[in-house]
Structures are given as structure tokens and as C-alpha cells.
Amino acid sequence: MAAAGASGGQTIGRSSFSRVAVSTAASSSTSAGVKLGPNGAAFVSSGIPDLDRILGGGFLLGSVVMVMEDSDAPHHLLLLRSFMAQGVVHKQPLLFAGPMKEPRLFLGTLPAPVASSKEDGRQRVMGAGTSSDGRTSDEALRIAWQYKKYFGEDKTSHAEHKNNKQEFSNDFDLRKSLERHLLNSQNIECVSTQDGDTLGELQDRCSTFLSKHLRKDGGNLNAGRIAIQSLCAPQCGYFEKDWDMVSFIRSLKAMVRSSNVVAVITFPNAILSNSFCKRWHHLADTLLSIKAIPDEDKDLAKLLTGYQDMVGFLHVHKVAQTNSQVPVILEASTFSLKLRKRRSLVLERLNQAPVDGSAGPSHAASGSCSSSSQGSQLDF
Amino acid sequence: MAEAAVRYLRDGRLEGEHAPALSVSGSLQCCPLAARAMLHVTAALASHAASGKSQARGLVIVAFDRSPQVYLDFMRRRGLDPNTFNRCVRILDCYSDPIGWKQKIQSQQHQESSVEPCSMDKENVTIFRSVKDVDKLMCSIIDLGRGFEGEDKIYFTIAIDSISSMLKDASVSSISGLLSNLRSHDQTSSIFWLIHSDLHEPKFSRAFECLSTMVASVEPAVVDSVYEEEIPGNMSFLEKNYSNAKFYVRLKRRNGRVKHLYEELHVEGNDVKFISSSVSAEVNQNLLPKVQFNLELSEKERSDRANVVLPFEHQGKGEPIRIYDGRRSLPEAQQDPNLTASAILDEVKLPKSATSKGEIHYIRDSDDEQPDSDEDPDDDLDI
């Protein structure tokens, strides 16, 4: 942390307390890809810049992030791939476990970072509110009925933020895969969870991985990442041993808490019984869930703007907070997943479509006065 | 729609991806209908394979619930002749002798020492005798699939009938492992299975749904809302449920969106027909926000509104218009011809009888008053 009270010696008669300047771009004592935040928190990027912004900085080091899968949509793989790709780009050690015979093959599907260009930078600043041709000057008068889209961090100095953002998090191009030489480095390990009846092997691999990344005061913050796909998938041999899975998560959480590692676990929520579902939710530090969208649904198309581009919903249930008793309260907790230009993943708040006078009365009117079934705040 | 499902399976897998998987899920109430739907899909895919329209060269049927003869008969009725049947369909018969007891008894009787796990009964039917061993089952399926003739890479489709019977002998995780390995095997074009979802724990049924890329559920046409089951003895109810069902398909597209399709299933004789009906609006209701106030009237509300008595004189019911003349006493009124007896009696009776239905009796002040004159206060104006 930056040294405090450097100016205290010069001013006699004043108190020796002085505010510690927290610089978000402190890269001297930390390694690439780690951002420091308030209350001694350190963040790594999730690989999706929008998600980092929503969660207040990124994934907290020392926390367990759990993602509830939807059996109808494979979007949890998008989150997992972005997370792993970000770790590889920042050269952070990675441990991946999946319910397949050859987990190494999954690494071949990781996306490559987008080659940064002015076009993308400009598009990022303007957000989703403008039209796709990216005109910055609006000749015609536009009624800003969704004015919240135009607010936000875009107000701050763009150039400075751009540099910092690129160091911390990258936009990933989902159509290109990551270069092979990055994947061949020594610090990527893979475990298969399909064979074997117990979680013992996975637990041993996790504990050896975590023992290399113990948190030490004043030491370098070398972050590590653990990604576990579909922890309770039906093809795993330990699928019916509910208590074994819960105790594995508990021990993982305890080990992760005292280390500089983020663990992301995805699991198909519908497969667990209700009581164990609740236990898993409780064990998570950050809890996200994916929900699928029905295709060609005219009612949803009328209710939400941008329905054609949406591929799913992301709901944020819990956000991790450390060393503080103030919980993180989000303005909106349901976001839509969109693929911009079919290659990069964008999360947006749900925006209600303008009330159409010619359409039926019930749906549009009901949307404005009640919250949607996912519990999002529809505001306009 | 059944045709959409068959087409989806017929097109098979794309390069670099797993094979598409269809899960036909039925329930106990419409169990025979789900079986018919399964037979229909099987026959359709067999005929596509025979005519060369599909990616798959042949079909492997893993039969747990029905004897192979049933498939042969059904396909013959559908128009598939036995020669093409033998060329394009292989059946792994796990129905006749699943645990190998029959063979053991036979060998004991004939004093034979060898017990074979697999033996060929007819040309394209292989009897499988150890259903508890899932690995061996997988090897047998793959071997049968490789046996199809053709140049280049041979793809084949796998039909499993049904998973519910397999779960008697093997665990959920081993069967899920089998399904996911079959899906990822590079010669599998597509795979589909039948499962009766209410025979298992809900989480196990959901686990199999999770493994599939399309779910077709066969639901009973008529469900009794009170008992949620058929009332015994009510034949029309049973009959309806044994000949009609709802066929509801959920297709998981590659971009993550889910397509909902809806049809009705009718059993006619020995065959099954799918009739498309209008897309049910209830399908998509659960994603819309809950309505807090209702702007539409239901039928009952509309009829009640029509029955409300309005406080105007001319209700059109033929009641005489009554004029108040100040005299309230009953005996005098009875002699007075101006006031009708019924009106006075009503006036007096009403407080005593306390009828349940509220009535409005309007008594006009004098004869000069125009009818309904106090409704429009502007009528008094003389401009």
C-alpha cells in the first residue's frame, strides 16, 4: 500500500494524520491483473468488463464465485471461458476441472482478446444507447426516455480510464481462440471430474494449488484462478453424494479465503435437491445465475428493447464483500446478456420498451407498475 | 412439432460439436402415448436413414421396454420393407434376457458351460445379457453402430427405449456418463431416449433433461384439477387421456435461446398423428411480469355488470310509475285508487321483510314531473 503520512513531517502543528491515497493504478507492488480496492480488497477481472463494473471492481481475491447454470442455455461456459482467458492473458496460474474425459480440450475454446482499436474504444464509451453506426453528434432531437443508458463512468476522463481498463481487464473476441503458445505454459493444470467416485483427487489438486498462493502480509499479490465446471454434473461418479460435495465446497472456501486465489464454480442448479441448493447458495461469496430466453416470444419482444440481440439473462444474487460490514447493494440485479457483433459479451440492464398505444393494454401497463418476475428494476 | 424434432435429429451433428440429443419425457398418465411418440420418431428416422436423407447411415435401437418384434411391426406398417429394415436398423435387445437368467437356465438344462453375454438371434437383433454393466453396453452399442456399411465416415443414430428401465439396474451417474460419452463419440450423428419423468426423483429427471439439447414432453390432454389424477370409473376421462395428449417441444438453440413448440398427439388405430394447434399462450406466461391490476373483464364479471339494476325509472320491466301523494297510512291507501296496492304494500313490507336483493323503488313527487327529470340538472335551465 502507498506510504501514508509523507507530508505530515513538513507541517508542524497540524495533526499527523493524513489521508492515504489509494491509487487504482498502483502496479508497483502488485502484479498485472490485480486491482486494489477499499478495505484491503484486491480484485481480479472476470474477463467481462461489464461484469467487473457491476460487481464493484471484479472478483474479490480469496472469494468463491458460484454460477447457477440453466439447463437450457450454455452461457455459463461463456463466463467460465472469459474468466480463464483473462487469467491466461495476465499469466496467472490456472487450475481447471471439468466433467469431461479430456479437460485440456476445453482450453482450446478460450477466446482471444480483442485487438484494441479506436472503434472499439469509442463504442465502449457510448455504450448501448447510440445507434450502431456510432455517430457522436446527434443532429436530430432525441427524446431520452432511457436516459440512464447515457450516464455512468463515461463522464470521467476517457483516456485515463481506457489505459487502466486495458491493463486490468480485456474484451474478448469469442470468435477467435487464444493463441496456442499461451496455453502451453507450465502453470495451467487440468483435472477431470468424470472418473472416480469421490472428490478426493480434486480436493488434493486444489490444496496443492492453493498452498502455492498463500496470502502473506506485505508480499507480492500473485493471483491465481481456479475454475470448476459443472461441479455436480450427473456424469460424475460422486453425483449422489450430496454431503461430500458440500464438505468439498466448505474446505475449498476455507482454503481460498486465506490465499490470493479466486475460485469460480458453475453448477446446474436444477439437479440438486432444494435443501442442498440452499446450502450451496449460502456457501457462495458471490452468486450469479443464468437464465435462458425463449425464442421468438412476441410478448417479451414488446416488453423489452433489444430483445432480438439478447441471448440470456444474468441475475446477481450476492456480491462478496470483505473486511466491511456494509453489504453491496446493487441498483439492478438482472442483466441481459448480449453478443455485440457476435463476438464480445456485453451485459446490460433491462430496459422497458416504450408503451405502445396500439398494442393490448395489459402487458405494457403491467410492466410499468410491477417488477418483472426476475426481480429486476424496470426503469425508463 | 414432431416434424421439427425429427428434422433436427436427422440433420445430425456439426463439426466439432457434440451430437444433438432429444429427450422424450412422458408421465404415467400418458405412458402409452409417450411410447407411441417414441416409436413414431424411431420409424421416421429409420426411413430417413434408409432413403439417404439423413446424416446417419443407420439406426441402433437399444430396446429395454419392448420386444424387437414391436419395432419391426410398427415400421412395416409405416411402409418400411423388411430388407431396408435389416440394412438400416440394428436392435440391441435388452428386453428378452436382460440379466442372462434365461440363458443360464437353458445351459443348466442342456449342461452347457458357456454363457455368452451377446448372441445374435436374427440378422439384425443382438441379445444383450448384462444390463448392469454399463461399459459393456456402451461397447456393444458402438460395435453395432460401426457395423453399418458405407464409405467414408459412418454416422449412426442411437435410440434408447427407455432410460426408466435402465435405471432399475444402473445408477444415474453411470447412465449419464454413458449418454454423454455416446454424445461425444465422433461417429454418433444423434441420440434420443424415452424417460418417464414421474417415476424418478425430480432431480434425476432434470439431470437427464440437462444432458439433452431438445426436450419433448408428452402431457395428458385432460387433467382433473381437483384430484390431479383420473377419477376411477369415469370412462370418458380415461378414454380421452388414452387417445389424446399434448406434445410440447422445447428446443435449445445454439445461441442459448429456447424455442417452444406445441402440438397435439392423436392415436388413431395403430398409428399416431400429430396435429399442430395454435400456440398456447400459457406457455410463455411465466416470464412476463405479474399484473397488478387487471384491465380486462372476465366473462362472469361481464355478465354481472349487465345484471346490475340502475337507479333510473325506465328499466323496461313494466313497473308502473308511482307518484307520491303524501299519504302514508296503510288503510287509507288501500281505499285510494291512485296508489296501486302493490306499491304501498311493497313500501311497508320492505323494511320488515329485509329481502336479500336490494331494490330501488322510485316514487315521483308529482305528475308534472317529467320522467327521469332529475337525472340531468341542466334541464332546469331556461336559456
Side-chain angles (χ1 to χ4, degrees):
Chain A
M1 297 293 285
S7 58
Q10 291 172 359
T11 57
I12 308 166
R14 274 213 206 162
S15 99
S16 57
F17 294 151
S18 67
R19 188 177 284 274
V20 172
V22 175
S23 81
T24 53
S27 52
S28 51
S29 58
T30 64
S31 46
V34 180
K35 184 166 77 170
L36 296 171
N39 303 326
F43 296 104
V44 287
S45 169
S46 60
I48 305 167
D50 285 336
L51 187 60
D52 291 340
R53 196 172 25 93
I54 292 166
L55 295 177
F59 287 156
L60 197 57
L61 278 185
S63 71
V64 171
V65 178
M66 298 184 82
V67 181
M68 296 196 273
E69 301 170 20
D70 187 323
S71 58
D72 290 342
H75 301 310
H76 59 280
L77 294 176
L78 289 176
L79 294 183
L80 211 59
R81 284 188 188 125
S82 310
F83 174 70
M84 288 165 63
Q86 184 73 74
V88 171
V89 163
H90 284 312
K91 298 192 178 39
Q92 291 161 346
L94 174 68
L95 172 68
F96 170 65
M100 61 259 301
K101 292 249 183 254
E102 291 290 323
R104 276 259 155 201
L105 295 178
F106 186 72
L107 296 179
T109 61
L110 295 185
V114 165
S116 68
S117 62
K118 281 204 197 131
E119 162 88 45
D120 288 330
R122 213 161 31 110
Q123 196 116 54
R124 209 136 257 293
V125 172
M126 296 190 312
T130 56
S131 55
S132 56
D133 56 8
R135 279 177 300 160
T136 44
S137 62
D138 297 330
E139 288 96 25
L141 175 70
R142 290 171 53 174
I143 299 174
W145 56 272
Q146 289 183 343
Y147 56 87
K148 287 243 172 95
K149 277 201 279 203
Y150 303 98
F151 285 171
E153 301 151 302
D154 309 328
K155 294 249 176 193
T156 58
S157 157
H158 167 56
E160 178 198 307
H161 254 243
K162 190 174 165 198
N163 288 335
N164 290 346
K165 257 197 212 171
Q166 298 233 297
E167 225 182 75
F168 177 62
S169 77
N170 293 72
D171 235 341
F172 285 96
D173 184 348
L174 294 166
R175 290 185 305 187
K176 283 194 298 186
S177 44
L178 205 52
E179 288 142 35
R180 295 284 150 171
H181 70 267
L182 287 171
L183 292 172
N184 287 336
S185 61
Q186 294 296 323
N187 50 11
I188 299 181
E189 304 170 30
C190 293
V191 183
S192 165
T193 50
Q194 185 169 0
D195 306 317
D197 268 352
T198 62
L199 281 161
E201 193 210 332
L202 182 59
Q203 185 147 355
D204 292 337
R205 293 288 289 270
C206 288
S207 56
T208 39
F209 183 82
L210 288 164
S211 57
K212 295 183 217 152
H213 293 276
L214 286 175
R215 186 178 295 184
K216 291 181 276 279
D217 289 329
N220 273 348
L221 276 178
N222 284 318
R225 297 178 187 230
I226 293 181
I228 303 180
Q229 185 198 329
S230 300
L231 182 58
C232 61
Q235 53 260 42
C236 304
Y238 54 81
F239 167 60
E240 289 171 62
K241 298 183 186 161
D242 291 312
W243 286 110
D244 283 2
M245 293 197 277
V246 170
S247 57
F248 166 74
I249 300 177
R250 265 184 65 209
S251 62
L252 181 69
K253 184 172 165 161
M255 290 191 286
V256 162
R257 185 58 69 91
S258 54
S259 67
N260 290 328
V261 171
V262 176
V264 172
I265 303 178
T266 71
F267 64 101
N269 195 34
I271 292 182
L272 294 171
S273 56
N274 279 343
S275 51
F276 280 97
C277 240
K278 286 220 170 358
R279 291 194 154 95
W280 285 52
H281 294 177
H282 192 68
L283 281 170
D285 291 319
T286 302
L287 186 63
L288 308 170
S289 72
I290 305 279
K291 194 155 190 321
I293 284 193
D295 206 13
E296 292 167 20
D297 183 343
K298 296 190 195 59
D299 298 321
L300 267 189
K302 272 192 273 188
L303 195 60
L304 301 169
T305 45
Y307 167 75
Q308 267 70 27
D309 304 321
M310 287 186 200
V311 292
F313 290 131
L314 177 82
H315 190 83
V316 180
H317 297 264
K318 251 207 277 189
V319 180
Q321 182 73 294
T322 185
N323 301 335
S324 160
Q325 289 193 345
V326 179
V328 175
I329 297 181
L330 300 171
E331 270 190 1
S333 56
T334 303
F335 301 89
S336 61
L337 285 161
K338 288 188 186 177
L339 288 176
R340 187 180 291 146
K341 286 191 195 168
R342 293 203 186 164
R343 54 176 194 172
S344 56
L345 192 61
V346 178
L347 292 171
E348 282 183 3
R349 286 169 67 163
L350 292 178
N351 282 309
Q352 192 206 353
V355 172
D356 186 5
S358 58
S362 47
H363 300 308
S366 62
S368 63
C369 52
S370 66
S371 55
S372 77
S373 55
Q374 290 100 11
S376 76
Q377 284 179 358
L378 295 176
D379 49 355
F380 52 98
Chain B
M1 296 189 331
E3 288 316 306
V6 170
R7 248 180 289 132
Y8 178 67
L9 289 178
R10 178 194 74 185
D11 293 336
R13 71 173 343 161
L14 290 183
E15 254 333 293
E17 288 196 10
H18 290 321
L22 164 70
S23 168
V24 180
S25 78
S27 65
L28 216 48
Q29 283 179 318
C30 49
C31 162
L33 291 159
R36 296 286 181 102
M38 181 75 179
L39 281 173
H40 170 91
V41 177
T42 313
L45 279 171
S47 58
H48 280 307
S51 55
K53 280 192 233 164
S54 67
Q55 191 193 38
R57 215 57 75 83
L59 173 67
V60 176
I61 304 178
V62 184
F64 277 85
D65 273 356
R66 273 160 273 281
S67 136
Q69 197 59 33
V70 172
Y71 296 101
L72 182 59
D73 290 340
F74 190 82
M75 291 195 205
R76 199 185 298 140
R77 272 198 302 268
R78 276 288 177 98
L80 194 69
D81 70 289
N83 288 333
T84 38
F85 182 79
N86 286 340
R87 184 169 47 92
C88 298
V89 178
R90 300 261 188 280
I91 302 184
L92 189 66
D93 180 8
C94 307
Y95 171 81
S96 315
D97 195 11
I99 330 180
W101 283 0
K102 277 190 196 160
Q103 201 184 41
K104 267 195 207 144
I105 293 171
Q106 275 175 359
S107 68
Q108 274 173 7
Q109 285 173 351
H110 296 178
Q111 253 82 50
E112 280 167 26
S113 53
S114 66
V115 176
E116 296 158 25
C118 279
S119 64
M120 294 282 287
D121 195 11
K122 281 186 251 182
E123 197 180 291
N124 58 347
V125 178
T126 311
I127 300 183
F128 187 77
R129 292 200 167 87
S130 46
V131 294
K132 292 199 202 255
D133 189 347
V134 180
D135 292 330
K136 211 182 276 182
L137 180 64
M138 175 158 154
C139 294
S140 309
I141 296 175
I142 306 249
D143 288 338
L144 278 183
R146 290 213 181 109
F148 286 113
E149 295 155 355
E151 323 91 33
D152 303 327
K153 198 162 184 188
I154 309 163
Y155 287 104
F156 56 94
T157 303
I158 305 173
I160 302 188
D161 183 13
S162 61
I163 298 273
S164 303
S165 309
M166 280 177 87
L167 282 168
K168 280 191 294 185
D169 298 307
S171 68
V172 177
S173 53
S174 56
I175 296 180
S176 321
L178 167 77
L179 290 177
S180 65
N181 288 338
L182 284 175
R183 264 191 84 198
S184 56
H185 187 75
D186 50 1
Q187 274 182 285
T188 316
S189 164
S190 54
I191 177 171
F192 62 104
W193 61 80
L194 173 66
I195 181 169
H196 297 294
S197 43
D198 51 357
L199 291 179
H200 312 288
E201 292 283 306
K203 62 176 183 172
F204 295 153
S205 316
R206 285 195 292 256
F208 288 108
E209 257 180 51
C210 213
L211 286 169
S212 63
T213 54
M214 186 185 337
V215 179
S217 49
V218 180
E219 285 159 22
V222 183
V223 178
D224 184 16
S225 53
V226 175
Y227 295 101
E228 284 189 349
E229 285 194 1
E230 298 144 24
I231 308 168
N234 187 348
M235 284 308 293
S236 62
F237 209 81
L238 280 172
E239 271 177 35
K240 208 150 192 272
N241 267 347
Y242 278 154
S243 57
N244 294 317
K246 298 188 219 174
F247 192 71
Y248 170 44
V249 176
R250 212 170 69 216
L251 169 57
K252 304 176 199 178
R253 287 180 59 194
R254 214 163 275 117
N255 63 0
R257 287 160 68 129
V258 182
K259 214 174 173 104
H260 296 272
L261 302 161
Y262 178 70
E263 263 189 343
E264 281 178 16
L265 198 153
H266 292 283
V267 168
E268 284 159 24
N270 280 323
D271 208 355
V272 63
K273 294 256 181 312
F274 291 91
I275 299 172
S276 68
S277 65
S278 58
V279 175
S280 168
E282 301 123 38
V283 160
N284 294 321
Q285 274 309 318
N286 53 355
L287 271 180
L288 290 177
K290 302 278 180 290
V291 184
Q292 273 189 349
F293 60 85
N294 195 1
L295 292 177
E296 288 170 354
L297 293 173
S298 66
E299 272 311 309
K300 183 178 175 297
E301 285 165 1
R302 260 190 221 116
S303 59
D304 285 344
R305 187 171 76 168
N307 286 340
V308 166
V309 173
L310 296 170
F312 304 130
E313 271 193 62
H314 299 283
Q315 298 289 352
K317 285 190 195 151
E319 274 183 26
I321 297 167
R322 301 191 291 258
I323 303 170
Y324 176 67
D325 69 348
R327 278 177 282 170
R328 293 303 218 125
S329 53
L330 186 56
E332 281 174 321
Q334 276 177 343
Q335 295 155 15
D336 194 321
N338 276 349
L339 289 169
T340 53
S342 58
I344 290 295
L345 282 170
D346 281 356
E347 232 186 287
V348 173
K349 261 193 204 158
L350 269 175
K352 285 188 194 164
S353 60
T355 50
S356 54
K357 196 169 150 223
E359 290 176 348
I360 297 167
H361 295 267
Y362 184 67
I363 300 172
R364 238 194 285 161
D365 283 337
S366 75
D367 208 12
D368 291 341
E369 217 178 289
Q370 296 299 314
D372 299 327
S373 64
D374 59 350
E375 289 164 32
D376 191 2
D378 289 343
D379 286 349
D380 292 344
L381 294 175
D382 280 331
I383 299 172

